[in-house]
Amino acid sequence: MTQTAWVLSLTQFYLSLGFLLFFLALELGLVWVLFILRLRARRTGAAMLAYRFWVRVYALTLTIGFAASLPLLLQLGTLWQGLMDRAGEIIGPLLAMAVLTTFIFKSCFLGAMLYGQRGLSNLAHMIVVGMVALGTSLTAWWVVVLLAWLQWPVGAVLVEQHYQISSWLAVMNGAAPALFGVLLTGGLMLAATMILAITAQRARIRPSDAGDRAMFAGAIGLLLLAVVAQAGLAARLGSQLLPVQPARLAAVIPQWHSGTPDPIALLARLDVANGRNTWAWLGALPPTGWLAPSVAPDAAEAATGSMIQGLDDLIGMRPPVWPTYLSSRLTVGLMMLLGLMGLWGLWRAWRLGFEPDKLNGMGRFSLRSMAWVALLAQALGWGHLMIGSLPYAVYGTVTLREIGTAQSNGGLWLMLGLQVLVYGALILGFRQLLGHTLRYGVVPVARHRGRA
């Protein structure tokens, strides 16, 4: 597999994966917001007004997310032809469970959720919404289990270059719980910032109703909770992956030479060619939980975890140093910025009595900016996760070059161009339909004999 083919294949796959993860996270966050609204709708009409608007946004997100999943499934076979042969015993059942969960829960309950509200009792419809939320969560869970296993292949043994399952419980107990928490909190963060941005925009078009005011107040609190929760879950995920991924750890610090751990360079200008920092703002030493006894000269030092493998010993098997280092800093910085923006938004909303109509131009711009900051933070975080594991498909054992495609560069360029056009059209359609929903809101449907 040539370098050009490798880069083109990786670009196609990461583009599809990023598109899927964005809409899956947004779908996951929105569906749990809808479930909470449906619970509260039994006590307040404002929650029902908000539910009836946001269920349409959820349906649009669901459609785009489903469309985004199809190219990714095809690319597993066309771009990485050898992956199923090497790890199909683990990957196959997880993909099958994700597809099965999608069809069972969404085929059985999604229609009743979207179109059966007037024909069902409040309790029955609330249960239906809860089942859709559960089904969406289970679908996301199986996808996350697969991604987590590729990062940390526990619960399986490599026998004659083929992975064989040894414990499904271990597979699901590795990094999957923390990674699922990161996806869920990221989805809630994206949902909260989208709610704030759209509520601010709707207030400019027409007077806000009780549902808008309820969502405006609730979304700010949800955003702050999601930021704090994701920070803790990301720290937990890092403490699990960094000890078993020495190349990622060395790039994050960065540790150029094997030996005792260097202080973390909070900000630095890296000279990758010469293996050094030309300038660095140094922080503390890496936490002991990040370290793994990989290159210690004797057993006593190895037991203390006082040695760390450097990038100079990992040439050829290390991730791109600059993207790995920079993405980690940008992700942390954007999350801190988002938290500060959320606190400012909470203070400002409190001063305005949580009335979206009182927002001025700068206030509306700030709320729209939160959505972009949240999107960039999630994109960079997931990008760091995937790029930091290169060049491996299954970390530590199976590289992407081993399982890569034999397609020509011309064919890969053509497919990449078509993929960009398709995803661009999907994003444009999503934006247009979202704008239509924002402008016209919920169109009342006449009721005849108690039904819509």
Side-chain angles (χ1 to χ4, degrees), residues 117-140:
Q117 180 179 351
R118 295 181 184 273
L120 297 172
S121 67
N122 286 333
L123 179 60
H125 190 258
M126 184 182 66
I127 293 173
V128 165
V129 176
M131 295 303 290
V132 173
L134 177 61
T136 303
S137 300
L138 286 176
T139 300

Side-chain angles (χ1 to χ4, degrees), residues 318-339:
R318 70 190 190 190
V321 179
W322 254 116
T324 305
Y325 175 84
L326 192 60
S327 61
S328 64
R329 270 60 181 178
L330 288 176
T331 302
V332 173
L334 286 173
M335 289 293 292
M336 293 175 64
L337 174 62
L338 188 60

Side-chain angles (χ1 to χ4, degrees), residues 27 31 34 54-62 110 113 132 136:
E27 179 187 341
V31 76
L34 289 174
W54 286 100
V55 73
R56 285 153 175 77
V57 179
Y58 168 75
L60 181 59
T61 304
L62 173 68
L110 184 61
M113 172 184 169
V132 173
T136 303

Side-chain angles (χ1 to χ4, degrees), residues 399-411:
T399 65
L400 289 167
R401 292 186 183 276
E402 296 176 55
I403 60 173
T405 182
Q407 297 181 45
S408 66
N409 291 346

